[in-house]
Amino acid sequence: MLLKKLFSKKEHVENIDFPEMDIALQLMFEIAMSDGYLDKKELQLLKNRVREIAPQEIAVSTVLKKMIDQSLESISLYPTIKKINDTYDKEKKKDLLRTLWKLVIVDSKIDPYEESLYFKIADLIYIKRSKANQIKHENS
């Protein structure tokens, strides 16, 4: 399995502390896993995001491992959604949706679970469905 190979090295991840593990990365992972399968193209997009946000001295696999651990411990998207609503303006929320939609379509198929979670996140961050649809069609 892809994830097993990715984390074959033991690395300490407790000390990672940068943009709070990046909200977009957390939500990208949630969407990627919503269909129960992490595609190679989805994993690559996640790795690219990590490279954009993580300090160079931190391995991509280390960041992804911590993100997975946090996701397994989390029982709700509420803290992440609250943080978005408290700190993001409307444009930043739209940019977030663009990033999330890129993940949905990266494997060249639109999975209903991934699409549903995309729209649920849009609703929770107070972006109208019509705007979320517009973002979807702009980036398809």
Side-chain angles (χ1 to χ4, degrees):
M1 179 165 181
L2 274 174
L3 291 176
K4 197 174 211 177
K5 194 163 59 170
L6 179 66
F7 302 116
S8 58
K9 290 182 182 177
K10 299 254 185 223
E11 297 192 49
H12 295 285
V13 295
E14 295 81 28
N15 298 327
I16 298 174
D17 187 29
F18 58 90
E20 299 181 14
M21 286 301 285
D22 189 56
I23 289 172
L25 181 63
Q26 290 173 334
L27 293 176
M28 288 170 71
F29 180 75
E30 293 298 329
I31 287 176
M33 293 305 296
S34 67
D35 63 354
Y37 177 74
L38 184 62
D39 178 90
K40 285 181 182 182
K41 290 180 181 178
E42 292 170 335
L43 179 60
Q44 188 58 50
L45 199 59
L46 291 169
K47 286 179 177 180
N48 292 345
R49 179 70 182 191
V50 171
R51 286 185 192 103
E52 289 174 19
I53 62 167
Q56 282 187 325
E57 66 273 7
I58 297 176
V60 170
S61 61
T62 303
V63 175
L64 292 176
K65 169 79 169 96
K66 181 163 185 174
M67 182 190 55
I68 290 167
D69 291 345
Q70 286 180 344
S71 177
L72 293 173
E73 291 172 9
S74 175
I75 56 172
S76 171
L77 286 178
Y78 176 76
T80 304
I81 297 299
K82 182 173 179 2
K83 190 172 293 179
I84 293 167
N85 287 329
D86 289 348
T87 60
Y88 281 36
D89 63 19
K90 196 162 201 127
E91 277 311 306
K92 197 167 179 182
K93 289 177 180 182
K94 290 177 194 173
D95 288 341
L96 174 64
L97 288 179
R98 286 180 189 95
T99 300
L100 297 178
W101 188 253
K102 286 178 189 171
L103 181 86
V104 172
I105 63 170
V106 73
D107 57 2
S108 301
K109 69 174 186 147
I110 298 174
D111 181 86
Y113 293 111
E114 293 174 347
E115 184 177 31
S116 175
L117 187 52
Y118 165 82
F119 282 115
K120 182 176 184 107
I121 290 168
D123 289 340
L124 291 171
I125 63 173
Y126 308 114
I127 299 294
K128 292 181 181 179
R129 191 166 190 102
S130 60
K131 185 47 127 173
N133 259 323
Q134 181 182 354
I135 290 167
K136 171 186 162 181
H137 292 294
E138 287 171 0
N139 295 288
S140 290

